[in-house]
Amino acid sequence: MLKNKTIILGVCGGIAAYKAVELLRLLTRSGADVHVIMTRSAQQFIAPLTFQTLSSHPVHTALFNLIEEDEIGHISLADRADLFIIVPATANIIGKIAGGIADDMLTTTVMATKAPVLIAPAMNVNMYRNRLYQENEEKLRRFGYHFVAPVSGRLACGWEGEGKLAAPEAVFEAAVGAVTPQDLAGRVILVTAGPTREEIDPVRYISNHSSGKMGYALARAARRRGARVLLISGPTALPIPEGVEVINVISATEMLTAVMAHVDECDAVIKAAAVADYRPVTRCETKIKKQGDVISLEMTKNPDILALLGSRQRRPFLAGFAAETDNLAGNAEQKLKAKNLDMIIANDVSQEDAGFNVDTNRVLLFFKEGAGEQCELMSKAQLADVILDALGARLPTR
Ligand code: CTP
């Protein structure tokens, strides 16, 4: 994701400066080479040594110390950057940048860089709402600067309202988005993920081993590539990807209702969910008591959501998954045709390193036009991008 990217992290003087430390950890963990610049007031809140230790580089604090230990002055640092992030950004720094003022290491480097600049503001709610501030932000947005909006909450100054620095995870996600080609911008992609649960009685249900990892990876990757993403999710233990709109469902019937309510807004539907094929004919209102040695449960077929989508006259691009334990290619191709899909991702769920509940996958892709593609073992995050590359190349232009 951010592997081998050079990122400048500009830290300003605000109580939220400590959250920049957490962001730095997220950035370095994902492989970025991070160089930190601190303003003079930032150093009142947190010691440069913290950033130096975690970034493994000296922290830049002084403008006129151009040849430092690693020979990086503000110009060469600005030139090498793939991304510039300012966290927390005060009203003062935003005003200075908007006014073209470059009077310290941070503002000169921002002025000199051609890299995308991502600004995460944090300030008092009245400062945030001040027209002067709002005009400065608007101006910078017009000039192509990216912003991660602050959130509402109790502010350090005692006021309630907007102005709280966005969570480090949200800034991280925006950072990834800022260096990711936005090839799916303007597209709406619906992803279903996870298992469905079919209730037998108030305490029991039938389900499957799906963890939702593949669907969540697809939702996250599509969002990073600029799409609006609707994630219709069965019960999972996964955190919701930043910026993704989630609709939680339990059963196949609920999933069907949610999918049908949104399908007309979508350019593509990716059905990664492991939908239960059958549900109990009746759900007992009270707990079923222990009876004889053997009991049987009468089951009825669930609607096949993907097949229903495929049978519609006007339908978005449809990508399905085929979870198989044998005859992978044959079964997948048969499902592609039978459900009238544009693409199917064939998944051998009997392998230990692919399919349910693991972080890796090995799949075959088949397309309506007859093409096929074998994907080697890779992480679900990487596979999500491979699937979106194939899907993106086939979406009709608008
Ligand atoms: N699917 C669906 N609704 C169902 C069953 C499956 O939308 N009731 C979708 C899944 O989300 C997946 C694709 O259909 O994208 C194939 O699911 P899979 O479980 O592999 O196949 P089934 O069609 O259920 O057939 P079988 O279980 O016999 O393999």
PDB file of all heavy atoms in Angstrom, residues 271 273 275-277 302-306 320-324 335 339, ligand 1:
ATOM      1  N   LYS A 271     -20.632 -10.113  -5.236  1.00  0.00           N
ATOM      2  CA  LYS A 271     -21.295 -10.926  -4.207  1.00  0.00           C
ATOM      3  C   LYS A 271     -20.299 -11.884  -3.574  1.00  0.00           C
ATOM      4  O   LYS A 271     -20.169 -13.037  -3.967  1.00  0.00           O
ATOM      5  CB  LYS A 271     -22.481 -11.682  -4.808  1.00  0.00           C
ATOM      6  CG  LYS A 271     -23.692 -10.775  -5.015  1.00  0.00           C
ATOM      7  CD  LYS A 271     -24.990 -11.352  -4.457  1.00  0.00           C
ATOM      8  CE  LYS A 271     -25.073 -11.340  -2.978  1.00  0.00           C
ATOM      9  NZ  LYS A 271     -25.275 -12.522  -2.274  1.00  0.00           N
ATOM     10  N   ALA A 273     -20.474 -12.623  -0.379  1.00  0.00           N
ATOM     11  CA  ALA A 273     -21.097 -13.266   0.785  1.00  0.00           C
ATOM     12  C   ALA A 273     -21.302 -14.757   0.548  1.00  0.00           C
ATOM     13  O   ALA A 273     -21.552 -15.192  -0.574  1.00  0.00           O
ATOM     14  CB  ALA A 273     -22.451 -12.603   1.073  1.00  0.00           C
ATOM     15  N   VAL A 275     -23.853 -17.005   1.148  1.00  0.00           N
ATOM     16  CA  VAL A 275     -25.280 -16.982   1.508  1.00  0.00           C
ATOM     17  C   VAL A 275     -25.734 -18.417   1.780  1.00  0.00           C
ATOM     18  O   VAL A 275     -25.444 -19.323   1.002  1.00  0.00           O
ATOM     19  CB  VAL A 275     -26.110 -16.396   0.340  1.00  0.00           C
ATOM     20  CG1 VAL A 275     -27.572 -16.251   0.731  1.00  0.00           C
ATOM     21  CG2 VAL A 275     -25.541 -15.055  -0.102  1.00  0.00           C
ATOM     22  N   ALA A 276     -26.466 -18.596   2.879  1.00  0.00           N
ATOM     23  CA  ALA A 276     -26.981 -19.943   3.174  1.00  0.00           C
ATOM     24  C   ALA A 276     -28.012 -20.317   2.104  1.00  0.00           C
ATOM     25  O   ALA A 276     -28.884 -19.505   1.782  1.00  0.00           O
ATOM     26  CB  ALA A 276     -27.621 -19.952   4.548  1.00  0.00           C
ATOM     27  N   ASP A 277     -27.873 -21.504   1.561  1.00  0.00           N
ATOM     28  CA  ASP A 277     -28.793 -21.917   0.489  1.00  0.00           C
ATOM     29  C   ASP A 277     -30.177 -22.275   1.036  1.00  0.00           C
ATOM     30  O   ASP A 277     -31.169 -22.194   0.328  1.00  0.00           O
ATOM     31  CB  ASP A 277     -28.211 -23.131  -0.248  1.00  0.00           C
ATOM     32  CG  ASP A 277     -27.026 -22.727  -1.115  1.00  0.00           C
ATOM     33  OD1 ASP A 277     -27.006 -21.565  -1.575  1.00  0.00           O
ATOM     34  OD2 ASP A 277     -26.105 -23.556  -1.308  1.00  0.00           O
ATOM     35  N   ASN A 302     -33.505 -20.820   0.121  1.00  0.00           N
ATOM     36  CA  ASN A 302     -33.422 -19.356   0.161  1.00  0.00           C
ATOM     37  C   ASN A 302     -33.423 -18.819  -1.269  1.00  0.00           C
ATOM     38  O   ASN A 302     -32.998 -19.523  -2.186  1.00  0.00           O
ATOM     39  CB  ASN A 302     -32.119 -18.919   0.849  1.00  0.00           C
ATOM     40  CG  ASN A 302     -32.298 -18.700   2.333  1.00  0.00           C
ATOM     41  OD1 ASN A 302     -33.382 -18.330   2.778  1.00  0.00           O
ATOM     42  ND2 ASN A 302     -31.250 -18.942   3.094  1.00  0.00           N
ATOM     43  N   PRO A 303     -33.830 -17.589  -1.461  1.00  0.00           N
ATOM     44  CA  PRO A 303     -33.707 -17.000  -2.794  1.00  0.00           C
ATOM     45  C   PRO A 303     -32.237 -16.908  -3.177  1.00  0.00           C
ATOM     46  O   PRO A 303     -31.391 -16.645  -2.320  1.00  0.00           O
ATOM     47  CB  PRO A 303     -34.321 -15.602  -2.625  1.00  0.00           C
ATOM     48  CG  PRO A 303     -34.321 -15.346  -1.161  1.00  0.00           C
ATOM     49  CD  PRO A 303     -34.389 -16.666  -0.464  1.00  0.00           C
ATOM     50  N   ASP A 304     -31.910 -17.155  -4.434  1.00  0.00           N
ATOM     51  CA  ASP A 304     -30.541 -16.972  -4.911  1.00  0.00           C
ATOM     52  C   ASP A 304     -30.419 -15.510  -5.357  1.00  0.00           C
ATOM     53  O   ASP A 304     -30.900 -15.128  -6.433  1.00  0.00           O
ATOM     54  CB  ASP A 304     -30.217 -17.933  -6.058  1.00  0.00           C
ATOM     55  CG  ASP A 304     -28.743 -17.898  -6.404  1.00  0.00           C
ATOM     56  OD1 ASP A 304     -28.178 -16.782  -6.494  1.00  0.00           O
ATOM     57  OD2 ASP A 304     -28.140 -18.975  -6.570  1.00  0.00           O
ATOM     58  N   ILE A 305     -29.800 -14.700  -4.517  1.00  0.00           N
ATOM     59  CA  ILE A 305     -29.761 -13.241  -4.735  1.00  0.00           C
ATOM     60  C   ILE A 305     -29.070 -12.910  -6.060  1.00  0.00           C
ATOM     61  O   ILE A 305     -29.557 -12.115  -6.862  1.00  0.00           O
ATOM     62  CB  ILE A 305     -29.040 -12.536  -3.567  1.00  0.00           C
ATOM     63  CG1 ILE A 305     -29.705 -12.919  -2.238  1.00  0.00           C
ATOM     64  CG2 ILE A 305     -29.036 -11.027  -3.754  1.00  0.00           C
ATOM     65  CD1 ILE A 305     -28.928 -12.536  -0.996  1.00  0.00           C
ATOM     66  N   LEU A 306     -27.949 -13.571  -6.287  1.00  0.00           N
ATOM     67  CA  LEU A 306     -27.168 -13.284  -7.494  1.00  0.00           C
ATOM     68  C   LEU A 306     -27.935 -13.691  -8.748  1.00  0.00           C
ATOM     69  O   LEU A 306     -27.960 -12.950  -9.744  1.00  0.00           O
ATOM     70  CB  LEU A 306     -25.829 -14.034  -7.392  1.00  0.00           C
ATOM     71  CG  LEU A 306     -24.707 -13.586  -8.292  1.00  0.00           C
ATOM     72  CD1 LEU A 306     -24.511 -12.077  -8.282  1.00  0.00           C
ATOM     73  CD2 LEU A 306     -23.405 -14.275  -7.903  1.00  0.00           C
ATOM     74  N   GLY A 320     -19.604 -12.638  -9.194  1.00  0.00           N
ATOM     75  CA  GLY A 320     -19.956 -13.606  -8.150  1.00  0.00           C
ATOM     76  C   GLY A 320     -18.728 -14.379  -7.712  1.00  0.00           C
ATOM     77  O   GLY A 320     -17.665 -14.310  -8.343  1.00  0.00           O
ATOM     78  N   PHE A 321     -18.867 -15.091  -6.636  1.00  0.00           N
ATOM     79  CA  PHE A 321     -17.829 -16.007  -6.167  1.00  0.00           C
ATOM     80  C   PHE A 321     -18.371 -17.418  -6.301  1.00  0.00           C
ATOM     81  O   PHE A 321     -19.580 -17.634  -6.190  1.00  0.00           O
ATOM     82  CB  PHE A 321     -17.482 -15.742  -4.692  1.00  0.00           C
ATOM     83  CG  PHE A 321     -16.465 -14.668  -4.504  1.00  0.00           C
ATOM     84  CD1 PHE A 321     -16.807 -13.332  -4.668  1.00  0.00           C
ATOM     85  CD2 PHE A 321     -15.153 -14.982  -4.179  1.00  0.00           C
ATOM     86  CE1 PHE A 321     -15.871 -12.329  -4.508  1.00  0.00           C
ATOM     87  CE2 PHE A 321     -14.197 -13.994  -4.013  1.00  0.00           C
ATOM     88  CZ  PHE A 321     -14.555 -12.664  -4.183  1.00  0.00           C
ATOM     89  N   ALA A 322     -17.489 -18.352  -6.537  1.00  0.00           N
ATOM     90  CA  ALA A 322     -17.899 -19.754  -6.497  1.00  0.00           C
ATOM     91  C   ALA A 322     -17.050 -20.429  -5.438  1.00  0.00           C
ATOM     92  O   ALA A 322     -15.822 -20.517  -5.579  1.00  0.00           O
ATOM     93  CB  ALA A 322     -17.689 -20.408  -7.853  1.00  0.00           C
ATOM     94  N   ALA A 323     -17.690 -20.830  -4.353  1.00  0.00           N
ATOM     95  CA  ALA A 323     -16.961 -21.530  -3.291  1.00  0.00           C
ATOM     96  C   ALA A 323     -17.098 -23.020  -3.567  1.00  0.00           C
ATOM     97  O   ALA A 323     -18.203 -23.563  -3.515  1.00  0.00           O
ATOM     98  CB  ALA A 323     -17.583 -21.176  -1.943  1.00  0.00           C
ATOM     99  N   GLU A 324     -15.978 -23.666  -3.882  1.00  0.00           N
ATOM    100  CA  GLU A 324     -16.041 -25.073  -4.293  1.00  0.00           C
ATOM    101  C   GLU A 324     -15.038 -25.903  -3.501  1.00  0.00           C
ATOM    102  O   GLU A 324     -14.017 -25.394  -3.028  1.00  0.00           O
ATOM    103  CB  GLU A 324     -15.708 -25.204  -5.793  1.00  0.00           C
ATOM    104  CG  GLU A 324     -16.497 -24.289  -6.714  1.00  0.00           C
ATOM    105  CD  GLU A 324     -18.002 -24.592  -6.742  1.00  0.00           C
ATOM    106  OE1 GLU A 324     -18.402 -25.701  -6.329  1.00  0.00           O
ATOM    107  OE2 GLU A 324     -18.771 -23.713  -7.149  1.00  0.00           O
ATOM    108  N   LYS A 335     -21.746 -21.781 -12.994  1.00  0.00           N
ATOM    109  CA  LYS A 335     -22.449 -20.737 -12.215  1.00  0.00           C
ATOM    110  C   LYS A 335     -22.443 -19.395 -12.967  1.00  0.00           C
ATOM    111  O   LYS A 335     -23.415 -18.651 -12.920  1.00  0.00           O
ATOM    112  CB  LYS A 335     -21.790 -20.541 -10.836  1.00  0.00           C
ATOM    113  CG  LYS A 335     -22.178 -21.632  -9.845  1.00  0.00           C
ATOM    114  CD  LYS A 335     -21.461 -21.495  -8.503  1.00  0.00           C
ATOM    115  CE  LYS A 335     -21.680 -22.747  -7.676  1.00  0.00           C
ATOM    116  NZ  LYS A 335     -20.900 -22.805  -6.451  1.00  0.00           N
ATOM    117  N   LYS A 339     -26.154 -18.044 -13.706  1.00  0.00           N
ATOM    118  CA  LYS A 339     -26.611 -16.835 -13.000  1.00  0.00           C
ATOM    119  C   LYS A 339     -26.471 -15.585 -13.862  1.00  0.00           C
ATOM    120  O   LYS A 339     -26.714 -14.481 -13.393  1.00  0.00           O
ATOM    121  CB  LYS A 339     -25.848 -16.676 -11.674  1.00  0.00           C
ATOM    122  CG  LYS A 339     -26.031 -17.892 -10.740  1.00  0.00           C
ATOM    123  CD  LYS A 339     -25.536 -17.627  -9.332  1.00  0.00           C
ATOM    124  CE  LYS A 339     -25.535 -18.917  -8.517  1.00  0.00           C
ATOM    125  NZ  LYS A 339     -25.474 -18.711  -7.078  1.00  0.00           N
TER     126      LYS A 339
HETATM  127  N1  CTP B   1     -25.394 -16.583  -3.841  1.00  0.00           N
HETATM  128  C1  CTP B   1     -26.461 -15.748  -3.666  1.00  0.00           C
HETATM  129  N2  CTP B   1     -27.599 -16.195  -3.072  1.00  0.00           N
HETATM  130  C2  CTP B   1     -27.691 -17.484  -2.654  1.00  0.00           C
HETATM  131  C3  CTP B   1     -26.598 -18.351  -2.832  1.00  0.00           C
HETATM  132  C4  CTP B   1     -25.451 -17.866  -3.427  1.00  0.00           C
HETATM  133  O1  CTP B   1     -26.388 -14.577  -4.058  1.00  0.00           O
HETATM  134  N3  CTP B   1     -28.801 -17.890  -2.070  1.00  0.00           N
HETATM  135  C5  CTP B   1     -24.188 -16.056  -4.511  1.00  0.00           C
HETATM  136  C6  CTP B   1     -22.952 -16.038  -3.630  1.00  0.00           C
HETATM  137  O2  CTP B   1     -22.826 -14.798  -2.977  1.00  0.00           O
HETATM  138  C7  CTP B   1     -21.831 -16.254  -4.636  1.00  0.00           C
HETATM  139  C8  CTP B   1     -22.477 -17.095  -5.719  1.00  0.00           C
HETATM  140  O3  CTP B   1     -23.889 -16.916  -5.568  1.00  0.00           O
HETATM  141  O4  CTP B   1     -21.393 -15.047  -5.225  1.00  0.00           O
HETATM  142  C9  CTP B   1     -22.156 -18.550  -5.663  1.00  0.00           C
HETATM  143  O5  CTP B   1     -22.366 -19.046  -4.368  1.00  0.00           O
HETATM  144  P1  CTP B   1     -21.991 -20.550  -4.005  1.00  0.00           P
HETATM  145  O6  CTP B   1     -22.338 -20.789  -2.583  1.00  0.00           O
HETATM  146  O7  CTP B   1     -20.612 -20.865  -4.486  1.00  0.00           O
HETATM  147  O8  CTP B   1     -22.926 -21.371  -4.973  1.00  0.00           O
HETATM  148  P2  CTP B   1     -24.427 -21.733  -4.966  1.00  0.00           P
HETATM  149  O9  CTP B   1     -25.069 -21.004  -6.095  1.00  0.00           O
HETATM  150  O10 CTP B   1     -25.032 -21.546  -3.620  1.00  0.00           O
HETATM  151  O11 CTP B   1     -24.367 -23.273  -5.364  1.00  0.00           O
HETATM  152  P3  CTP B   1     -23.776 -24.531  -4.522  1.00  0.00           P
HETATM  153  O12 CTP B   1     -23.958 -24.178  -3.066  1.00  0.00           O
HETATM  154  O13 CTP B   1     -24.607 -25.651  -4.989  1.00  0.00           O
HETATM  155  O14 CTP B   1     -22.339 -24.659  -4.919  1.00  0.00           O
END
